[in-house]
Amino acid sequence: MVSTLRFSMTRRAMLLASVAIAAGSVGIAHADGLPPLKPKATYKVGFAQTESNNPWRLAQTASMQEEAKKLGWQLVYTDAAGSAAKQVADVNSMIAQGVDAIFLSPREEKPLIPAVMAAKKAGIPVFLIDRNVDATLAKPGVDYVTFIGSDFVLEGKQAGEWLVKATGGKAIILELEGSTGSSPANDRKKGFDDIIAANPGMKIVASQTGDFARDKGRQVAESLLQAHPEATVIYAHNDEMAIGAIAAIEAAGKKPGKDILIVSIDGEKDGLQAIIDGKMGATVECNPRFGPAAYAAAIAYSKGEKIPPTMVNKDNFYDMSNAAASIATSY
Ligand code: AHR
């Protein structure tokens, strides 16, 4: 028992140190007005997942479940199946079940605000993981404890910067956006657009949502390629849509990676394989394995430790130079 505790404490310290604390952020403790998490030997916590339609989501869920099991905590898991309204209902059900804390990956930025506020009103601390809510309507350290996740604007910028180098600053781009209203779709677009706007030889000729899904990405890419046969690049907000786009390019009789370059985000196994096969140029990592950092933050919070309002994951970048070496540990 003692050694288990020592192990988890050391691990917790390492995990909290492994996330970069947002510049200038101030630590938050429950004394700031947030609901406390009373110190207990074990907890019943909720994880409200947004959907389970791709390997990224499955890896995130597995990580949350594995870590709860390691700690011996009870996990109430829900899957909103791609519906923000269901996710709000899922959080309300967790509140009714009396969970001690809620981990939430909000599907969209605005519709999940009432769920965050309801948990706060019920005295249950909320930890946002992976996706964020609209910062003008709910604030970390005030309405929820913290946001733990990747910097989606930076991901879009990195994809854009890679493309500038790969194309010499000349490209006709089709963009496959993520789920409308979600923070990764909004921010990945913003980061990428900023880079493209600074490069006059690059133009986004069409941008449409593929809802972060492989088959939707394929269908949208198919119709955009028909409307814009002059396109030389596809920028997809995740690997699943990029894989769908590869199928659409091949169906159009063109060669992905040659006739049309592809850049994407996530770093899932199929994405890395597409790079190895020469069909995709690069993908910016967005790590789905939130379990260790999420539970470590809750434990620290229960002890009254100061929690930064934003904890940004340090992510990788994959291209031909490292995809093969990274694929074994991918998902
Ligand atoms: O919020 C992260 C995004 O959501 C991942 O890029 C995507 O694959 C997932 O569905």
Side-chain angles (χ1 to χ4, degrees), residues 51 53-54 56-57 130-131 152 184 188 212 237-238 265-266 286:
E51 58 209 345
N53 63 342
N54 70 39
W56 195 101
R57 291 283 145 205
D130 144 47
R131 292 188 186 176
F152 297 135
R188 287 172 184 172
F212 283 129
H237 287 195
N238 79 346
I265 294 167
D266 269 356
C286 178

Side-chain angles (χ1 to χ4, degrees), residues 63-239:
S63 175
M64 292 299 287
Q65 288 172 334
E66 278 160 22
E67 198 63 17
K69 203 170 165 196
K70 273 185 209 160
L71 290 166
W73 292 13
Q74 187 187 339
L75 182 65
V76 177
Y77 168 74
T78 55
D79 174 0
S83 158
K86 176 168 184 322
Q87 201 173 26
V88 172
D90 289 343
V91 171
N92 285 332
S93 156
M94 287 173 185
I95 295 169
Q97 290 175 63
V99 297
D100 296 302
I102 294 173
F103 299 107
L104 170 64
S105 286
R107 177 170 163 82
E108 289 151 47
E109 288 199 3
K110 287 190 204 304
L112 268 297
I113 298 286
V116 171
M117 295 308 187
K120 181 186 179 188
K121 197 169 167 204
I124 300 170
V126 172
F127 298 78
L128 295 188
I129 56 171
D130 144 47
R131 292 188 186 176
N132 218 329
V133 291
D134 186 327
T136 63
L137 301 173
K139 299 202 183 315
V142 178
D143 302 307
Y144 57 93
V145 178
T146 186
F147 165 77
I148 306 172
S150 295
D151 181 338
F152 297 135
V153 176
L154 180 65
E155 290 174 346
K157 273 195 196 325
Q158 288 179 312
E161 281 161 359
W162 178 86
L163 204 54
V164 173
K165 280 195 198 135
T167 62
K170 273 192 188 331
I172 301 166
I173 304 164
L174 303 175
E175 181 175 10
L176 296 176
E177 298 177 28
S179 303
T180 306
S182 70
S183 60
N186 292 341
D187 292 352
R188 287 172 184 172
K189 178 160 189 55
K190 187 186 178 318
F192 186 78
D193 283 0
D194 287 350
I195 299 297
I196 300 308
N199 286 276
M202 303 178 86
K203 199 171 170 215
I204 301 170
V205 290
S207 186
Q208 201 176 309
T209 183
D211 210 10
F212 283 129
R214 186 180 292 208
D215 201 50
K216 184 85 187 288
R218 183 191 58 76
Q219 288 169 33
V220 173
E222 221 166 75
S223 71
L224 293 185
L225 285 166
Q226 272 166 21
H228 299 278
E230 76 283 14
T232 58
V233 165
I234 290 185
Y235 164 48
H237 287 195
N238 79 346
D239 285 350

Side-chain angles (χ1 to χ4, degrees), residues 248-331:
I249 293 167
E250 287 173 338
K254 295 188 176 178
K255 281 195 166 33
K258 290 200 171 66
D259 300 326
I260 300 191
L261 282 189
I262 302 172
V263 63
S264 166
I265 294 167
D266 269 356
E268 66 172 46
K269 208 178 270 298
D270 286 357
L272 298 185
Q273 189 60 53
I275 293 176
I276 295 165
D277 295 343
K279 296 184 176 185
M280 184 153 96
T283 187
V284 185
E285 187 194 26
C286 178
N287 193 335
R289 295 175 175 125
F290 279 88
Y295 292 92
I299 292 168
Y301 185 66
S302 75
K303 293 177 186 302
E305 291 171 21
K306 293 274 183 185
I307 305 292
T310 303
M311 294 194 259
V312 182
N313 293 342
K314 279 189 184 149
D315 287 323
N316 216 325
F317 184 90
Y318 301 112
D319 59 14
M320 197 49 123
S321 70
N322 60 356
S326 312
I327 198 162
T329 53
S330 189
Y331 50 92

